[in-house]
Amino acid sequence: MDYFTDIAWAQQVKEGQRIGGDAVFLSRTEKDDRNICILSDGLGSGVKANVLATMTGRMAQRYVEEEKDIIRAAEIIMNTLPVCRERRISYATFTICEITADGEARILEYDNPPYIMIREGRVMEVEKIRRELNRPSAFKKEEILYSEVKLQYGDRLIFFSDGVTQAGLGTPGYPLGWRQKKVAQFIEGLMNTDRMLSSWHLTRSLTRQARFLDRGKAMDDITALSVYFRRPREILVVTGPPMDQKNDAPMARRIAEFPGKTVLAGGTTANLVSRELNRKLTINLKMRTEKVPPASEMEGITLVTEGMLTLTRVAEILEKKDEDALSGYDGASRFAALLINSDRAVFLVGTRINEAHQDPSIPFEIGIRRTIVKRIAAALETNYLKKTTTEYI
Amino acid sequence: MKNIDLEICTGTTCYLLGAADLIDVLENLPEPLRERINLRGVACEDLCKSGSRPPFVKINGIVIGEMTSERLLATLENTLGGTTC
Ligand code: FES
């Protein structure tokens, strides 16, 4: 089965704190291709809470990576971590979600708000197994919840901290906070507007709305994590003319026939494709910044940009995870946003040397195309957990 | 009154060497003047590899290199009759 697990999270840190007391850990195991997501919420806020949440999250991550059963992993964590003496409660609540290569999701919850499962755009109830723990140090009976879901295309699992469910607490509209039911309705509302919404956008909409209900100042750490199981969205990026002119036509055909989104980066490349496919290239002089030359439009191509300056800026945005840049109206911003909203990127790099870039009159150094593409691919893999392939022609 | 066809290269080298400023100038011209220019961006057509200097513009079909904002304004004034701005 060809699928992709789109995972992303977003956070609004409690007003006045620089560091969140909620921590998220994401990883993918090399060996058996499992995705592991952990959301933990440390008692209190600020640095101390962050340390607690981080310790809990790291332990969970390590145990699950080591293929420990997640119920067992949770028990070990709870027996290892101390209980807060004054308040007699655990130092951190947590949720562990493990998704196997064939879409089997296993979820373990300890005291975080229940996760929301979406199927066909609606909330779906999941049966959960309750398990009581009797720690001598604990004041009250503690329970963990375990559930399993066989994911289908389009399914989503949405996890969040209590900063989300308690958002707006004490305000006239939400005296008891946003609460689970309203959060679920909000997510269904998002699904009504865009059934294909990426995890990146969903988590941002959710955390922004929660902060909005808190009257613009987060009263607690607000964190959301989303898993979206879907068919892979592919993007083809073509930059540079092929070494051998014989390959011009096959390259253009490959672009025309590509099933996903397509980006052309580079004037020579764009002219070549325009000629081969007999499609007009129109430069949009408005779509630019001081450092990023104008982007262009061509029928059937998602985006056409200039080459080296744009690619360099894309690499910067992805490396720094500069999310503010993504809303910009220029070639590099749009390019980076397209990459983030795809699951797999194929880079087709032409290797005919572009003499222009060895021009000594250019005031600063422009990198080599290959190197920049490598930086972009690496940033996509490490910062955004995307899959990439690069071919040289 | 005749209009001007103005093509400006937005390729890497031209953009770095001044086309960015030229576009700024053109976009901020007073309306009556701006309306008489058919402005169009073009991708690099390898003029920058020909030995002459970027940035390149093409005014009514004639290629001019090493274009600067001052020269561009002067050229526009000459071509358009100089009374509009
Ligand atoms: S970049 Fe303008 S001619 Fe090459």
Side-chain angles (χ1 to χ4, degrees), chain A residues 356, chain B residues 9-15 43-49 54-56:
Chain B
C9 174
T10 60
T12 309
T13 314
C14 286
Y15 203 74
C44 170
E45 268 153 19
D46 287 353
L47 287 168
C48 52
K49 291 164 206 162
F56 294 97

Side-chain angles (χ1 to χ4, degrees), chain A residues 35-46:
Chain A
N35 276 294
I36 301 166
C37 317
I38 289 144
L39 167 63
S40 71
D41 179 352
L43 191 65
S45 59

